[in-house]
């Protein structure tokens, strides 16, 4: 029987417990080290997450502040533009401090467009926006003062204009009375159909077929207001069918009535009138067509006013 060269302690003997104890100690140390590593890793991860949350919160806060300032700045700019568009004086007022305002707006825009702007820079932007708003408020007060002065001046001008207009109305009224008073008046108006015989003799007729021309005669009554001078008298003859006798080639045309409307005239004549004297006037109308049977009316006009009228009837002609 071969002898065993290894001195292995028998189970249960004191020597057999030492290797086990060493192994357990090593396992314990390894487990403790691993647990410590995990604990450190968890702590470091939590710390990093907390720092990320804090950084994110800080960035969100800065971004919100920048957005709020941007809104305030936009509102201030809009108010400034509105004041300028509504008031030319505001425009000139702003131009006197244009460099200061432009520099201020440029600095504010520079900060607000910078995504990495710091809290200190945002605070500067807020201060500048408040300064801009204060300037705008000052401009508004200046405008209100200027507008108040403008209203006072406008009131004074209105009063002066009303006084002037009142005088003008009285003057115009007097002038109108004088103008109306100087309008002549026609009386003894006659419309005579005339037949011209072969020997040139003129005889009055009542037959349409025999009439060669119409003779209008009337008196211009004496007027002590109308000044001496040439007076243009218009005569308008209307045919039985209510059409005006007017042929431009024969001297007819249009004239203006006192209400501004126009009217056709048959013929006109310039009369050399003498103040305070009664004058007889005769005007002939010879047309290039036959006269119709029926009633003819004649109206006399001076200065756009009708100053008299008359009528004549032409009958159907007989054998002779």
């Amino acid at each position: 029987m071969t002898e065993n060269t290894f001195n292995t302690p028998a189970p249960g003997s004191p020597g057999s417990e030492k290797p086990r104890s060493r192994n357990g100690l090593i396992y314990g140390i390894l487990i403790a080290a691993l647990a410590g590593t995990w604990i450190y890793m968890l702590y470091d991860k939590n710390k990093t997450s907390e720092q990320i949350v804090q950084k994110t919160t800080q960035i969100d806060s800065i971004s919100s502040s920048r957005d709020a300032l941007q809104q305030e700045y936009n509102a201030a700019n809009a108010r400034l533009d509105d004041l300028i568009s509504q008031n030319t004086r505001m425009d000139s007022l702003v131009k006197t401090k244009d460099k200061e305002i432009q520099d201020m707006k440029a600095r504010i825009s520079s900060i607000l467009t910078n995504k990495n702007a710091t809290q200190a820079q945002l605070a500067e932007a807020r201060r500048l926006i408040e300064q801009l708003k204060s300037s705008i408020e000052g401009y508004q007060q200046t405008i209100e003062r200027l507008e108040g002065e403008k209203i006072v001046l406008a009131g004074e001008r209105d009063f002066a204009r009303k006084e002037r207009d009142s005088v003008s109305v009285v003057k115009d009224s007097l002038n109108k009375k004088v103008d109306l008073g100087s309008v002549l008046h026609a009386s003894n108006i006659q419309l005579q159909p005339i037949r011209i015989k072969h020997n040139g003799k003129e005889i009055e007729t009542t037959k349409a077929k025999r009439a060669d021309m119409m003779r209008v005669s009337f008196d211009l009554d004496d007027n002590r207001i109308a000044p001496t001078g040439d007076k243009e008298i218009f005569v308008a003859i209307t045919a039985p069918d209510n059409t005006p006798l007017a042929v431009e080639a024969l001297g007819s045309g249009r004239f203006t009535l006192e209400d501004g409307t126009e009217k056709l005239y048959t013929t006109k004549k310039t009369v050399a009138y003498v103040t305070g004297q009664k004058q007889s006037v005769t005007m002939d109308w010879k047309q290039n067509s036959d006269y119709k049977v029926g009633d003819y009316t004649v109206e006399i006009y001076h200065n756009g006013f009708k100053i008299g009228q008359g009528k004549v009837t032409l009958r159907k002609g007989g054998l002779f």
Side-chain angles (χ1 to χ4, degrees):
M1 181 176 179
T2 305
E3 187 177 354
N4 189 356
T5 58
F6 295 98
N7 295 321
T8 304
S13 65
S16 65
E17 296 297 328
K18 290 181 180 180
R20 288 184 182 178
S21 298
R22 283 197 301 270
N23 290 338
L25 180 60
I26 291 171
Y27 292 153
I29 292 171
L30 290 175
I31 292 171
L34 182 61
T37 301
W38 287 346
I39 291 172
Y40 175 77
M41 289 175 63
L42 288 173
Y43 172 78
D44 184 64
K45 182 178 180 181
N46 289 337
K47 192 69 174 177
T48 302
S49 298
E50 184 179 345
Q51 289 176 349
I52 291 173
V53 169
Q54 290 177 350
K55 191 68 174 178
T56 302
T57 302
Q58 184 180 8
I59 292 172
D60 290 344
S61 176
I62 292 175
S63 179
S64 298
S65 297
R66 184 172 58 246
D67 292 343
L69 289 175
Q70 184 69 57
Q71 292 179 0
E72 278 193 63
Y73 177 58
N74 291 342
N77 255 337
R79 186 181 178 194
L80 181 62
D81 292 341
D82 185 55
L83 287 175
I84 293 174
S85 65
Q86 292 182 11
N87 195 296
T88 55
R89 293 188 182 184
M90 180 64 187
D91 189 27
S92 60
L93 189 64
V94 171
K95 285 180 179 178
T96 59
K97 294 190 175 183
D98 189 61
K99 180 66 167 61
E100 177 184 338
I101 291 178
Q102 292 305 321
D103 289 347
M104 192 185 307
K105 291 170 66 175
R107 178 56 181 160
I108 294 171
S109 296
S110 175
I111 294 174
L112 296 181
T113 54
N114 182 10
K115 294 184 178 180
N116 297 321
T118 63
Q119 290 286 6
Q121 289 174 326
L122 293 177
E124 180 188 359
R126 179 176 294 280
R127 178 181 58 79
L128 292 174
I129 291 173
E130 291 300 323
Q131 185 177 343
L132 179 62
K133 290 163 64 177
S134 177
S135 297
I136 294 173
E137 189 65 31
Y139 296 150
Q140 178 68 46
Q141 293 174 0
T142 301
I143 289 174
E144 291 174 355
R145 177 177 57 79
L146 292 174
E147 289 298 323
E149 294 174 357
K150 180 180 177 182
I151 292 173
V152 172
L153 290 174
E156 293 176 352
R157 285 197 300 269
D158 287 343
F159 179 78
R161 185 171 60 251
K162 287 178 181 179
E163 287 288 316
R164 185 175 63 252
D165 291 345
S166 177
V167 173
S168 297
V169 168
V170 174
K171 184 178 178 181
D172 291 343
S173 178
L174 292 174
N175 289 336
K176 189 172 183 180
K177 288 180 180 179
V178 172
D179 290 341
L180 288 173
S182 64
V183 173
L184 302 176
H185 181 264
S187 62
N188 194 27
I189 301 169
Q190 296 184 38
L191 180 60
Q192 300 171 320
I194 302 295
R195 177 188 177 193
I196 304 175
K197 300 181 71 173
H198 295 295
N199 59 5
K201 185 178 180 180
E202 298 177 356
I203 59 174
E204 189 174 351
T205 183
T206 59
K207 305 295 193 295
K209 186 177 180 180
R210 296 183 179 181
D212 295 312
M213 70 177 184
M214 290 283 192
R215 174 165 291 160
V216 181
S217 60
F218 55 90
D219 292 331
L220 291 177
D221 298 335
D222 60 298
N223 188 317
R224 298 186 180 278
I225 297 178
T228 297
D230 291 341
K231 311 297 180 184
E232 197 167 39
I233 307 299
F234 294 91
V235 168
I237 302 175
T238 304
D241 60 358
N242 288 323
T243 59
L245 299 185
V247 182
E248 187 176 354
L250 299 178
S252 302
R254 295 178 179 272
F255 70 102
T256 304
L257 297 173
E258 53 86 21
D259 62 359
T261 60
E262 290 188 337
K263 183 178 178 65
L264 283 169
Y265 66 85
T266 306
T267 184
K268 67 177 180 178
K269 187 173 186 177
T270 300
V271 178
Y273 185 77
V274 179
T275 301
Q277 292 186 8
K278 186 175 183 177
Q279 295 178 234
S280 296
V281 180
T282 300
M283 303 170 67
D284 293 338
W285 168 250
K286 187 175 182 180
Q287 62 186 34
N288 53 5
S289 59
D290 294 335
Y291 291 95
K292 299 177 182 179
V293 175
D295 294 334
Y296 288 78
T297 59
V298 58
E299 296 174 332
I300 317 297
Y301 289 87
H302 173 235
N303 281 354
F305 292 90
K306 183 166 71 173
I307 61 174
Q309 66 180 22
K311 185 174 72 171
V312 69
T313 299
L314 286 179
R315 296 194 297 270
K316 187 175 180 181
L319 183 61
F320 298 102

